[in-house]
Amino acid sequence: MGWGKRGILAAAVTVVCAVTVLAAPGTAFAAPIPTPSASPTPSPTPSSSPSSTPAPSKDLEKVREKLDALYHDAAVATDAYNAAEEKTKKQSTEIVALAKKIVEGQAKLDRLKDQAGAAAREQYRTGGIPPTAQFLLSDDPGQVLDGAGMVLQGQRATKDLIGELTGTQRDLQAYAADAAEQWQKLDAERQAKADAKKKIEQQISAAKKLESELAKKDQERLKELEDQAALKAQTQWLDTGILKEINGKASEQGKKAVAFATAQLGKPYVWGAEGPESYDCSGLTSQAWAAAGHPIPRTSQEQWQQLKHIDIKDMRPGDLIIYFDDASHVALYIGDGAIIQAPRPGRNVTIAGAGSMPILGVVRPDA
């Protein structure tokens, strides 16, 4: 791959840096429920129109479970998208830095070549007689001594010039190779982002389609089932007596993170969003801690991997609770068994029970 000045800079500048993570409490989609016929000879109903006949509760429960699965898969894909986006940001920054080094190195190389050319022209003007011969042919002893010093200086300068030229050319080759490698990585991450985005959109589209095919009453009942499932999980978690063991006090930075998250209540969930108008789950937690003066990784999986793990009984407001075995969702603990989270598409930033989803573990950004 060629790496001219203009080509490298143009490539670096065109890198798009936008990031996101879809993290939501599990919510999935099931196949559309067949609508019972209202009469022996019903007129055909377009598949896009909601059924007016309520679905049995057991069928709605299957829909809820399917929705959980679809939204969970979308959350996993969102984390992959956000991770790829973070890498493209890093790689584009490195490409720009390498491009700057190449431009500076090329300017230095041009300057050194000008110096070498000036030396060659000077030798031509003196008739091609080496400086050593010039001062040896002189009748002035002072000039001989001066000439000897000049010859030594000239030899050293020539040697330094050649060494600097060689080193600069070697550096330029290394910069070009590094830039080519980073560009290949950037292309790979762009493809990973595109694949993850496609999967996210497919999962969310399937979920919306499934919900749209339900009667309005069924949609309302479905929301009730979601709330009931969350309440049941939270109650079971509290029944373990865990809240009696959790009495940690928030750090000053933790208080700031909680205050920031609280101010975002009611804003919509949008996958890949980091505010200020909308958030996904890790977009909310990462921005909360950035506002507290302590930047943390962007995705829920990176937060789980890189931040210090804390026992649940030791957690305090401001800590992050990571959910599901694949760390695909994250929320901010605010105390009293509650969290602030950006749940999933179609929902807003809200307060929920800390035990309303399967807990993987707890991490502390300011440990």
Side-chain angles (χ1 to χ4, degrees), residues 226-258:
E226 290 179 5
D227 294 341
Q228 289 173 7
L231 178 59
K232 180 180 179 181
Q234 172 73 355
T235 300
Q236 290 175 341
W237 184 67
L238 293 176
D239 284 346
T240 64
I242 186 65
L243 206 55
K244 296 178 182 178
E245 301 181 40
I246 301 173
N247 51 21
K249 294 183 179 180
S251 65
E252 288 304 313
Q253 286 185 315
K255 291 178 183 178
K256 292 178 181 178
V258 170

Side-chain angles (χ1 to χ4, degrees), residues 146-353:
D146 291 342
M150 291 177 61
V151 168
L152 291 175
Q153 291 178 7
Q155 289 175 340
R156 282 195 294 268
T158 301
K159 184 178 180 180
D160 290 346
L161 179 59
I162 292 173
E164 201 169 359
L165 273 167
T166 302
T168 301
Q169 289 174 328
R170 186 169 55 247
D171 289 344
L172 282 172
Q173 291 173 349
Y175 295 153
D178 287 347
E181 182 180 356
Q182 290 302 323
W183 187 257
Q184 290 176 348
K185 290 180 179 179
L186 186 61
D187 281 345
E189 293 306 329
R190 282 173 169 168
Q191 185 59 52
K193 279 175 56 181
D195 293 343
K197 180 181 179 181
K198 182 178 180 181
K199 184 172 184 180
I200 293 166
E201 292 173 341
Q202 287 175 339
Q203 301 298 85
I204 294 176
S205 177
K208 290 181 177 179
K209 182 177 184 295
L210 180 58
E211 288 181 299
S212 71
E213 292 174 344
L214 295 174
K216 184 177 181 181
K217 288 184 178 180
D218 284 339
Q219 293 178 15
E220 294 172 354
R221 176 61 180 154
L222 182 64
K223 179 63 169 64
E224 291 177 3
L225 289 175
E226 290 179 5
D227 294 341
Q228 289 173 7
L231 178 59
K232 180 180 179 181
Q234 172 73 355
T235 300
Q236 290 175 341
W237 184 67
L238 293 176
D239 284 346
T240 64
I242 186 65
L243 206 55
K244 296 178 182 178
E245 301 181 40
I246 301 173
N247 51 21
K249 294 183 179 180
S251 65
E252 288 304 313
Q253 286 185 315
K255 291 178 183 178
K256 292 178 181 178
V258 170
F260 177 90
T262 301
Q264 313 314 309
L265 289 170
K267 293 184 178 181
Y269 176 103
V270 174
W271 68 268
E274 298 179 89
E277 301 303 326
S278 57
Y279 297 88
D280 62 23
C281 71
S282 58
L284 177 64
T285 55
S286 61
Q287 288 303 305
W289 273 97
H294 192 93
I296 62 174
R298 169 64 176 89
T299 71
S300 58
Q301 291 181 349
E302 290 173 328
Q303 290 169 7
W304 174 243
Q305 292 168 1
Q306 298 181 32
L307 301 180
K308 183 176 178 59
H309 289 205
I310 300 295
D311 288 340
I312 292 180
K313 63 181 179 62
D314 296 327
M315 70 179 175
R316 65 193 188 193
D319 288 345
L320 306 182
I321 302 181
I322 310 295
Y323 293 95
F324 305 107
D325 291 341
D326 51 11
S328 57
H329 187 61
V330 61
L332 188 79
Y333 184 63
I334 60 174
D336 295 326
I339 56 172
I340 290 180
Q341 64 165 342
R344 56 117 165 136
R347 299 288 186 264
N348 297 330
V349 175
T350 187
I351 294 175

Side-chain angles (χ1 to χ4, degrees), residues 101-134:
K101 288 182 178 180
I102 290 172
V103 171
E104 292 173 347
Q106 188 62 56
K108 180 179 179 181
L109 187 63
D110 292 343
R111 187 180 72 251
L112 292 172
K113 286 180 177 180
D114 286 343
Q115 292 178 9
R121 289 192 295 273
E122 178 63 24
Q123 185 173 359
Y124 177 78
R125 282 196 297 271
T126 58
I129 301 175
T132 304
Q134 289 183 40

Side-chain angles (χ1 to χ4, degrees), residues 12 15 17 87-99:
V15 175
C17 298
K87 289 180 181 178
T88 62
K89 285 183 178 180
K90 179 180 178 181
Q91 287 151 4
S92 65
T93 299
E94 291 177 355
I95 288 173
V96 171
L98 286 167

